[in-house]
Amino acid sequence: MATDPTASLGSITGHDLAAVPDAVVALLGASRRVLAIGHESPDADAFGSALGVALAVEWLGGRATAMSSDPVPPMYDFMPHIERIRAEPDPDLDYDLIVVSDSGDLGRVGRVAREHAELFGRVPILVIDHHASNEGFGAVDWVDPSAAAACEMVALLLPRLGVPLDALDGTIAADLMAGVIGDTGMFQHPNATPRTMRVSADLLAAGASIADVARRIYRNKPNAQLRLFGRVLARLESDLDERLVWASLEPDDLVRSGASAEQSEGIIDLLAQSATAEVAILFRDLGDRTRISTRTRDGGVDAIVLTSTFGGGGHPRAAGATVMLPLAEARVAVLAEATRLIDALGPR
Ligand code: 5GP
Ligand code: MN
């Protein structure tokens, strides 16, 4: 398909659109019954990219299911069409394509891929992802680590498919904007590129309000969640002349604050506000296992290197892992590895 810059609302360039592989356009354009899914513990980019793909397929006359292994956290209720997210494949649809977005490997899809292993083994998979750690696991893989969000990629894909970015009254654009704003931290992380801004300008022109989306994602928290943040932040610890900063969330914190486990989302980004931290780490107690979220300073420790030691991954500045140890032991092991990586940077 020829690239048509006039399909853009003004800012996305023909060069931007040409970055979408023809094989991706051909495969998705030819598919009529599509299952679209992002990663478990979903965020705005996981939901936005899956919804964007599903709505585009329907706009082109096909049928689609947008799915998630985990339920939709209430903070994402504002995303248009979020009620479309299903927990199970549609038994009435004989899928001809599965689109896995925002997931560095198939395991990140979570429960659905495990419970429907036969489906995921039989139906061709199209991967649309921006994690540098992604080695590809589909029939066609589109992995672009220069994209700030999977939603940035889907926003380039839509015009290539012939779906205008302002289709469905700008509601697709609003979902894609949510993913871009979430993954760039309101355009403040170093992953926000000129292309991210061009895509966002067109999403804005299509009717997606940056102000509304940013408020709903970042300034709309239940007070119990703020109490949880306060408890955890009050226990901030540091080492290596404060270049290593961490805090631990214990089950008691949830009970005492009245917050839910998913409301710990955002604490790591507050820890990362530290002026001294090369590496910020949040530990979350899962009983026999421990979740870690890490953030690292630009030009410093690679968060992918830190988390991959523990079977995780993500981006150079933001990554996570599930450590197969209880909290106290996981903390010792992860802090030792973080210390080694900070020491390797040399003196400040
Ligand atoms: P967060 O710390 O916000 O949960 O995650 C930061 C980034 O790391 C996200 O892009 C997320 O997709 C990725 N990530 C988090 N946990 C894991 C994990 O267990 N495995 C992999 N491969 N990536 C993860
Ligand atoms: Mn993402």
Side-chain angles (χ1 to χ4, degrees), residues 39 102 104-105 108 131 133 265 268 284 291-295 311-315 318-322:
H39 57 80
D102 201 27
D105 54 63
R108 279 286 285 161
H131 292 91
S133 54
E265 167 113 33
I268 183 59
R284 278 187 290 157
R291 277 291 301 169
I292 59 167
S293 280
T294 68
R295 300 289 184 270
H315 309 286
T322 302

Side-chain angles (χ1 to χ4, degrees), residues 41-174:
S41 305
D43 58 11
D45 197 31
F47 287 132
S49 55
L51 285 169
V53 166
L55 294 166
V57 167
E58 290 179 351
W59 199 91
L60 292 168
R63 298 180 65 187
T65 307
M67 268 180 59
S68 166
S69 284
D70 295 317
V72 178
M75 69 171 286
Y76 299 116
D77 282 350
F78 77 94
M79 293 177 70
H81 312 286
I82 195 77
E83 73 286 350
R84 293 280 315 270
I85 298 286
R86 295 173 55 116
E88 294 295 331
D90 185 339
D92 298 334
L93 275 190
D94 179 17
Y95 297 109
D96 54 11
L97 183 70
I98 298 176
V99 178
V100 177
S101 58
D102 201 27
S103 304
D105 54 63
L106 188 54
R108 279 286 285 161
V109 168
R111 174 191 59 82
V112 170
R114 292 192 299 273
E115 291 180 1
H116 299 279
E118 187 276 329
L119 184 72
F120 277 74
R122 172 169 49 85
V123 178
I125 293 177
L126 167 61
V127 172
I128 300 178
D129 186 37
H130 66 126
H131 292 91
S133 54
N134 195 326
E135 292 170 359
F137 54 90
V140 173
D141 300 304
W142 179 26
V143 178
D144 180 0
S146 79
C151 282
E152 177 179 327
M153 301 170 71
V154 174
L156 297 172
L157 174 57
L158 260 51
R160 285 292 306 274
L161 286 169
V163 180
L165 279 184
D166 56 3
L168 304 182
D169 284 333
T171 54
I172 304 180

Side-chain angles (χ1 to χ4, degrees), residues 211-334:
D212 285 352
V213 171
R215 178 179 57 80
R216 295 300 299 249
I217 294 183
Y218 289 101
R219 299 193 303 280
N220 194 41
K221 294 182 172 44
N223 294 335
Q225 185 172 17
L226 295 177
R227 281 188 209 101
L228 174 68
F229 284 18
R231 291 183 64 86
V232 178
L233 289 176
R235 291 201 306 272
L236 181 150
E237 297 177 76
S238 67
D239 197 1
L240 301 180
D241 203 14
E242 306 206 54
R243 296 171 83 195
L244 177 54
V245 166
W246 72 92
S248 306
L249 189 151
E250 286 152 23
D252 191 49
D253 291 320
L254 300 178
V255 177
R256 291 186 173 253
S257 62
S260 61
E262 76 206 21
Q263 288 175 344
S264 63
E265 167 113 33
I267 299 178
I268 183 59
D269 297 301
L270 293 173
L271 286 174
Q273 289 182 12
S274 161
T276 63
E278 278 291 345
V279 175
I281 308 174
L282 176 70
F283 295 91
R284 278 187 290 157
D285 188 324
L286 301 181
D288 54 347
R289 295 165 306 142
T290 305
R291 277 291 301 169
I292 59 167
S293 280
T294 68
R295 300 289 184 270
T296 63
R297 186 170 301 286
D298 209 9
V301 171
D302 186 335
I304 297 175
V305 173
L306 173 57
T307 52
S308 63
T309 306
F310 304 96
H315 309 286
R317 305 275 73 82
T322 302
V323 184
M324 299 298 167
L325 293 168
L327 177 63
E329 290 164 53
R331 200 160 43 203
V332 170
V334 173

